[in-house]
């Protein structure tokens, strides 16, 4: 997994590289500039208009930009730089690079003139990750002008105006096509809206040394998930692959039960039992691989259905509860499921029941995974949806620590925490923003738990598989056409690709 650091921690890393490993700040700036220059040259090769304008602030980010100016000038690129501030305000390493650029004969202009010359590529080197205030005055005007110029925009370290710690945009911010960031990812590049402003993010290392700065925040990648999902042995059998139970569906939400069940089967659950209200059972004729166990005599989770479902909780490797259940009349069903200490997924209507019956929080334990979206998280915590969306890492972390369970806070960037670390998942696409995606996730997650993955690992893998399978399906379908069932059908290809890649690496 990639370590992710907040801006204050990145300053510690820079200091460590300088003080412990003897790499001067000006040398770190040169290495950063080399990474940006390489990406600029690569992009220029695909552009007809190869004129470049670099917009530089007076801090270290601007110093990076001035070093890029000199490097591109040396490579014969038609490049100029516009300074946001007067020359006398440039100090430290930024001043050194300004003097070097002037000595090398680089061209300088003002931003209005520079943009009027219609560059094909603009490098944003105005503000770095340390900015945590809204832009104003000339800075705000410059950012707006850059966004409106029509050129390909490449940001240095982070788009100017994006908060490096939270991804928040308080006012104007550069909308980059690409961002070259250094040494480690920052939260602001991975959380929305910052992730959208950053465009394609390229990570450029500054040193092979790994400073010992602690972090609890990580970005998971495909290789991490492949390591969690080893191929099955040839003598594998259904009993070894997990006995999973889903308590799902209702007469009004039959599809949720089918989606969760199909996803669990596709993800490899050996024996799947879907407990559904009796009137839902006929719908399962289209999914013969699932053992459908009707409970009660109606199409809802009334007290009769809940009582019958309690009898099915024993001897399971994993249980998933909530998808499409509607109102759960007897909350003791959730308490009974938690009391088994079986790995357990609570989603959708199970989360609503948890919010309504707060005495149930005392039964949560480390083998329980909660999978709320921001609205459900707001009900669980009593906070506003906006507060959750503005600080998803904080809420996932605090909830996991407070309730002693795993929390998978769903979103375009999902935040997963067990109270000891936070893992970010960025796989997926807007096609998941429709009904059924959460049901599919519940099925995937329940199957992984049934196959023995620890809850935190299962949550990480499930979030990745859902998103990656949506990306696989997207190759054939547009995001507005994508259905949750398409994602389920793509799980097999996603798992197959993970296994094939894993074999090649071994």
């Amino acid at each position: 997994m990639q370590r992710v650091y907040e801006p204050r921690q990145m300053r510690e890393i820079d200091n460590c590289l300088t003080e412990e490993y003897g790499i001067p700040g000006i040398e770190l700036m040169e290495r950063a500039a080399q990474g940006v220059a390489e990406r600029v040259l690569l992009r220029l090769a695909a552009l007809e208009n190869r004129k470049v304008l670099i917009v530089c602030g007076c801090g270290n980010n601007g110093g990076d930009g001035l070093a890029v100016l000199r490097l591109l000038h040396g490579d014969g690129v038609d490049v100029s730089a516009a300074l946001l501030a007067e020359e006398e305000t440039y100090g430290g390493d930024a001043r050194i690079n300004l003097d070097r650029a002037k000595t090398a004969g680089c061209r300088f202009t003002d931003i209005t003139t520079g943009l009027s010359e219609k560059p094909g590529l603009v490098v944003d080197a105005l503000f770095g990750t340390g900015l945590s205030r809204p832009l104003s005055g000339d800075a705000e005007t410059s950012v707006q002008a850059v966004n409106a110029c029509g050129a390909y925009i490449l940001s240095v370290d982070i788009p100017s105006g994006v908060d490096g710690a939270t991804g928040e945009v308080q006012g104007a911010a550069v909308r980059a096509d690409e961002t070259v960031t250094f040494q480690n990812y920052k939260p602001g590049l991975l959380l929305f809206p910052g992730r959208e402003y950053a465009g394609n993010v390229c990570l450029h290392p500054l040193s092979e040394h790994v400073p010992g700065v602690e972090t609890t925040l990580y970005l998971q990648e495909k290789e991490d998930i492949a390591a969690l999902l080893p191929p099955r042995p040839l003598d594998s059998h259904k009993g070894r692959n997990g006995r999973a139970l889903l308590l799902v569906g209702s007469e009004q939400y039959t599809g949720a039960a089918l989606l969760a069940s199909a996803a669990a089967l596709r993800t490899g659950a050996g024996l799947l039992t879907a407990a559904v209200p009796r009137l839902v059972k006929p719908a399962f004729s289209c999914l013969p691989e699932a053992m459908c166990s009707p409970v009660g005599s109606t199409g809802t989770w009334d007290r009769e259905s809940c009582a019958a479902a309690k009898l099915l909780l024993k001897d399971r490797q994993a249980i998933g509860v909530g998808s499409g259940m509607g109102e759960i009349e007897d909350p003791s069903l959730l308490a009974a499921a938690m009391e088994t200490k079986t790995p357990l997924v609570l989603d959708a209507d199970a989360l609503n029941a948890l919010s309504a019956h707060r005495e149930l929080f005392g039964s949560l334990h480390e083998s329980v995974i909660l999978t709320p979206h921001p609205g459900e998280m707001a009900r669980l915590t009593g906070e506003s949806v906006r507060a959750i969306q503005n600080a998803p890492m904080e809420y996932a972390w605090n909830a996991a620590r407070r309730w002693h369970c795993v929390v998978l806070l769903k979103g375009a960037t999902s935040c997963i925490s067990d109270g000891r670390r936070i893992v970010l998942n960025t796989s997926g696409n807007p096609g998941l923003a429709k009904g059924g995606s959460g049901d599919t996730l519940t099925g995937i997650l329940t199957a992984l738990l049934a196959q023995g993955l620890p809850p935190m690992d299962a949550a990480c893998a499930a979030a990745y598989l859902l998103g990656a399978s949506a990306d696989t399906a997207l190759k054939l379908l547009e995001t507005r056409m994508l259905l949750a069932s398409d994602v389920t059908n793509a799980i097999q290809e996603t798992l197959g690709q993970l296994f094939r890649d894993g074999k090649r690496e071994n």
Side-chain angles (χ1 to χ4, degrees):
M1 289 191 179
Q2 291 277 359
R3 294 185 174 196
V4 180
Y5 290 100
E6 295 184 4
R8 60 177 178 78
Q9 295 172 307
M10 287 306 305
R11 288 192 289 273
E12 291 182 41
I13 289 173
D14 287 346
N15 291 337
C16 182
L17 290 174
T18 297
E19 296 171 6
E20 293 188 22
Y21 297 103
I23 307 173
I26 191 68
E27 173 61 22
L28 291 175
M29 192 171 282
E30 189 73 8
R31 295 181 185 183
Q34 288 169 353
V36 175
E38 289 171 4
R39 295 299 301 182
V40 170
L41 292 172
L42 183 64
R43 175 51 54 183
L44 288 180
L47 294 176
E48 292 185 9
N49 180 355
R50 299 184 181 181
K51 186 188 294 291
V52 177
L53 175 67
I54 304 177
V55 186
C56 301
C58 60
N60 284 340
N61 200 250
D64 294 337
L66 290 164
V68 174
L69 169 68
R70 173 174 43 80
L71 293 172
L72 293 178
H73 175 77
D75 285 329
V77 175
D78 182 0
V79 59
S80 60
L83 304 182
L84 183 64
E86 297 297 327
E87 288 189 17
E88 56 266 24
T89 63
Y90 286 73
D93 294 336
R95 180 71 206 194
I96 292 174
N97 273 313
L98 175 58
D99 292 339
R100 286 178 176 178
K102 293 174 70 175
T103 300
C106 297
R107 177 173 175 255
F108 290 87
T109 183
D110 61 85
I111 189 167
T112 301
T113 302
L115 291 176
S116 70
E117 295 175 350
K118 303 296 183 182
L121 188 148
V122 173
V123 176
D124 157 37
L126 287 170
F127 299 99
T129 59
L131 184 73
S132 58
R133 56 176 172 78
L135 298 180
S136 60
D138 290 344
E140 182 179 16
T141 302
S142 297
V143 164
Q144 292 170 341
V146 167
N147 285 339
C149 75
Y152 186 91
I153 301 175
L154 187 150
S155 286
V156 176
D157 208 14
I158 196 166
S160 296
V162 173
D163 189 308
T166 67
E168 185 179 2
V169 175
Q170 298 183 40
V174 169
R175 288 188 173 273
D177 296 289
E178 179 177 355
T179 298
V180 179
T181 198
F182 310 123
Q183 193 69 13
N184 295 93
Y185 290 100
K186 293 82 183 175
L189 296 170
L190 303 172
L191 299 173
F192 283 83
R195 181 178 159 193
E196 181 179 2
Y197 279 74
N200 177 54
V201 178
C202 173
L203 181 63
H204 179 71
L206 300 181
S207 170
E208 62 184 12
H209 300 294
V210 181
V213 177
E214 295 298 324
T215 183
T216 57
L217 182 59
Y218 299 86
L219 171 67
Q220 66 177 7
E221 299 176 304
K222 180 173 72 172
E223 295 76 15
D224 304 312
I225 307 306
L228 295 176
L229 302 171
R232 288 180 171 178
L234 292 176
D235 62 347
S236 177
H237 57 80
K238 61 185 180 183
R240 181 182 294 179
N241 294 326
R243 297 184 300 278
L245 172 67
L246 289 173
L247 308 181
V248 289
S250 61
E251 192 172 20
Q252 185 176 1
Y253 302 113
T254 301
L258 292 170
L259 286 169
S261 300
L265 290 167
R266 283 287 187 189
T267 312
L271 291 167
L272 174 68
T273 299
V276 299
R278 185 166 299 278
L279 296 183
V280 178
K281 179 177 172 56
F284 272 76
S285 62
C286 68
L287 193 64
E289 297 89 347
M291 294 181 289
C292 184
S293 181
V295 292
S297 58
T298 68
T300 65
W301 284 91
D302 55 18
R303 293 187 177 277
E304 180 189 7
S305 298
C306 290
K310 290 179 186 179
L311 303 177
L312 302 174
L313 297 174
K314 295 181 180 179
D315 300 322
R316 309 290 178 180
Q317 270 77 56
I319 302 169
V321 187
S323 297
M325 292 179 76
E327 182 182 0
I328 302 172
E329 287 191 8
D330 184 3
S332 69
L333 174 60
L334 297 185
M338 288 188 274
E339 287 168 4
T340 66
K341 301 300 181 181
T342 301
L344 175 67
V345 182
L346 298 182
D347 183 42
D349 293 308
L351 296 176
N352 293 333
L354 187 62
S355 299
H357 300 277
R358 306 197 72 81
E359 69 278 7
L360 293 174
F361 280 97
S363 298
L364 293 171
H365 54 80
E366 62 183 10
S367 293
V368 176
I369 303 174
L370 308 182
T371 62
H373 55 58
E376 291 163 339
M377 192 65 160
R379 290 191 287 275
L380 290 168
T381 61
E383 301 288 346
S384 69
V385 174
R386 180 178 292 276
I388 305 296
Q389 292 173 328
N390 287 343
M393 296 189 306
E394 177 182 346
Y395 278 96
W397 168 270
N398 288 339
R401 291 175 66 86
R402 179 181 177 186
W403 300 328
H404 307 290
C405 63
V406 174
V407 175
L408 195 173
L409 179 53
K410 296 181 288 194
T413 297
S414 291
C415 300
I416 309 157
S417 181
D418 58 359
R420 292 181 288 272
R421 58 181 171 137
I422 304 170
V423 176
L424 302 180
N425 180 75
T426 59
S427 67
N429 59 70
L432 289 172
K434 58 181 60 175
S437 297
D439 307 319
T440 301
L441 177 65
T442 295
I444 294 172
L445 189 44
T446 305
L448 293 175
L449 288 172
Q451 294 169 75
L453 266 69
M456 183 64 178
D457 289 348
C460 291
Y464 175 85
L465 287 175
L466 178 72
S469 298
D471 291 338
T472 299
L474 186 63
K475 295 176 183 178
L476 301 176
L477 300 166
E478 293 294 335
T479 56
R480 288 175 178 80
M481 299 164 55
L482 194 65
L483 301 178
S485 56
D486 298 321
V487 177
T488 301
N489 293 335
I491 292 173
Q492 181 177 355
E493 173 59 27
T494 303
L495 288 169
Q497 185 63 49
L498 285 173
F499 294 150
R500 290 192 293 271
D501 290 347
K503 287 182 177 180
R504 282 197 291 269
E505 290 176 4
N506 293 333

